[in-house]
Amino acid sequence: MQLISSAASPFVRKVHVVLHETGQSNDVEVIEAGTTPINTPDHVRAANPTGKIPALIRPDGPALHDSRVITRFLDARAKSGLYPEARIWEVLTLESMADAIMDAAVLITYEGRVRPEAQQSDVWCNAQWGKISSALDVINARWMSHLAGPFDASHIAVGCALGYLDLRHDAHGWRTGVDALAKWNEAFQDRESMKATAPA
């Protein structure tokens, strides 16, 4: 299999963490690809017509895209139980919320790196940060018991989302007011799979 990847993408990191946790890293060839919303290399578009990464190219089926699709496929392939049926809706909901944090954070990054300075919007960036802040508050208030429970895919998603906030948006001080989540994250980032996949 081949994974179309970008080292700084939190969505790609989710896939790498799952590969690491399930012992499948050696089954995948990593193909680095630099993409932006206005620049998509041909080999990325061939794997995913929307031009988004990650994409997983398989020898025995169509390429898979969207990190949640890829991580579920890898989990099923390894029979690793990262999406346990007993609490599947909780896992999927928390993973979705973490992915929404990543989406908003990546949009802020693109606003500063891709759009010309004269066209950049503080209103837009503040609105995206509001989504992030709201999600962090809800996770801190309602989801810490889940994060304290058995390890699953939602833990990986939250850890990768918070890791990306540290990487690209540390100045926002996301830890303010979410002490329980910040404490959980401090321990989670020390997990071997997280250290192995941390962007350089």
Side-chain angles (χ1 to χ4, degrees):
M1 297 184 291
Q2 296 177 316
L3 179 66
I4 298 181
S5 176
S6 176
S9 166
F11 299 103
V12 170
R13 189 182 186 191
K14 274 177 58 183
V15 174
H16 280 296
V17 173
V18 169
L19 287 169
H20 192 282
E21 291 282 351
T22 60
Q24 299 180 84
S25 294
N26 291 335
D27 296 342
V28 172
E29 175 190 1
V30 176
I31 300 175
E32 288 291 327
T35 65
T36 73
I38 59 175
N39 180 26
T40 302
D42 290 342
H43 69 287
V44 177
R45 197 178 301 280
N48 180 357
T50 68
K52 293 184 176 182
I53 55 173
L56 184 70
I57 301 171
R58 302 178 294 161
D60 55 353
L64 303 179
H65 37 83
D66 190 291
S67 63
R68 279 174 283 186
V69 175
I70 297 170
T71 55
R72 288 202 76 171
F73 168 77
L74 294 171
D75 175 62
R77 183 176 186 263
K79 299 179 174 63
S80 55
L82 291 175
Y83 291 91
E85 280 300 320
R87 56 184 194 282
I88 188 63
W89 304 118
E90 290 79 7
V91 173
L92 292 176
T93 298
L94 185 53
E95 182 181 18
S96 175
M97 191 157 22
D99 280 5
I101 291 171
M102 296 182 208
D103 274 328
V106 168
L107 286 174
I108 295 171
T109 299
Y110 281 151
E111 185 75 4
R113 293 190 170 198
V114 177
R115 289 174 65 87
E117 186 174 355
Q119 297 177 17
Q120 293 174 19
S121 170
D122 289 340
V123 173
W124 168 263
C125 290
N126 289 338
Q128 298 307 317
W129 189 260
K131 297 174 185 180
I132 294 169
S133 182
S134 178
L136 294 176
D137 287 344
V138 168
I139 295 171
N140 188 75
R142 303 178 189 173
W143 287 91
M144 295 314 301
S145 60
H146 183 96
L147 290 175
F151 178 72
D152 60 41
S154 68
H155 294 69
I156 295 171
V158 172
C160 289
L162 300 180
Y164 188 75
L165 295 183
D166 281 339
L167 177 69
R168 294 290 190 230
H169 304 295
D170 186 54
H172 280 277
W174 68 263
R175 291 169 175 79
T176 302
V178 290
D179 293 350
L181 181 58
K183 184 177 180 180
W184 174 87
N185 182 63
E186 184 177 354
F188 192 79
Q189 296 297 330
D190 269 339
R191 195 175 181 94
E192 186 56 38
S193 60
M194 296 299 288
K195 291 191 289 186
T197 58

